[in-house]
Amino acid sequence: MSFRSGFVAVLGRPNVGKSTLVNALVGRKVSIVSDHPQTTRRRITGVVTREDCQLVLLDLPGFQRPFDSLTRRMQAAVDDALGEVDAALVLLNAVEAFGRGDRYIAATVAAAGVPAVVALNKVDLVDGPRLSARLEEARDLSGGEVLAVSALRGDGLSAVLARLTAAMPPGPVYFPEGRQTDQPLELLVAELVREQALRLTRDEVPHAVAAEVGSITERSDRPLVESEAVLTVETESQKAIVVGKGGRVVKAIGSGARREIEAVLGVQVYLDLRVKVRRRWRRDERYVERLL
């Protein structure tokens, strides 16, 4: 049997669990996870290498109506990907009613003419009779087979991998064994910092938070990585929320991010984290381009 390989667009409405599923399929965190919409802002690559196949998963922003420079670029990443991939993995949410967004995604994938694997995620949150009904609704929406999965628990992932493998054409090994993402370390660290900011700030702040890493230095005298990072918000009031009384919130963000970074790098990390204001940064084309 010839080796198969190819690129897979992971698609779905915001908060359907795309990043959680990609991380579970890859076997390590390559994409941050949050309950907030617009968590995934750029195309994140996760690589799954098996004996007979290599899948390059493209974790994409959720489909949305663009309204500023940031969301225009996010939606463009989705649109561009569909013209480049060998298959699509479409996620539906088992705990929410399907809507126009789900139907639009299904129609867009069908119009692109790429093979599609459809999965109903979060099935662990739905009881048996309701799950059967949701699966039937999902089959009606997609017009074909629907796999039941729980990205959080890891249920149904082998079936997803099998269907995606079958959809891949014969091809080369794009990434060497052991390589699980093409994301530069600076971007991954910045995303891990932003993930903690999303987790610890109020609802009005997350969309306006950006994270950048200024430097990452590996010490030569001991196993320690030193990193400088900046969280950017749009107003002084948002900065006050992110910093917190006595700096408690930003310290908690830094501590949580440091633990996540250490888990990825396998060494001790020193993180110098600051917060600054850049007004209306989401409408600044040049700044958004630098972030994405």
Side-chain angles (χ1 to χ4, degrees), residues 7-11 56-60 78 81-82 85-90:
F7 294 79
V8 180
V10 183
L11 304 170
V56 183
L57 307 175
L58 306 180
D59 183 13
L60 299 165
V78 178
L82 273 174
V85 297
D86 301 286
L89 173 56
V90 179

Side-chain angles (χ1 to χ4, degrees), residues 199-217:
R199 185 176 69 85
L200 292 167
T201 55
R202 300 176 191 173
D203 289 342
E204 65 267 28
V205 174
H207 294 165
V209 172
E212 292 182 273
V213 169
S215 66
I216 297 179
T217 305

Side-chain angles (χ1 to χ4, degrees), residues 67-146:
F67 58 87
D68 56 23
S69 295
L70 177 62
T71 49
R72 279 197 298 273
R73 286 183 176 272
M74 289 165 63
Q75 186 58 42
V78 178
D79 297 336
D80 292 346
L82 273 174
E84 304 170 355
V85 297
D86 301 286
L89 173 56
V90 179
L91 260 64
L92 301 170
N93 192 338
V95 299
E96 294 182 357
F98 304 141
R100 287 186 299 175
D102 297 299
R103 291 189 288 273
Y104 176 76
I105 293 168
T108 300
V109 171
V114 297
V117 175
V118 182
L120 184 66
N121 191 28
K122 306 185 183 182
V123 298
D124 54 307
L125 302 178
V126 183
D127 61 20
R130 180 59 178 151
L131 177 57
S132 297
R134 295 296 285 156
L135 283 168
E136 186 61 33
E137 293 168 10
R139 284 190 286 267
D140 289 341
L141 175 69
S142 65
E145 180 187 27
V146 176

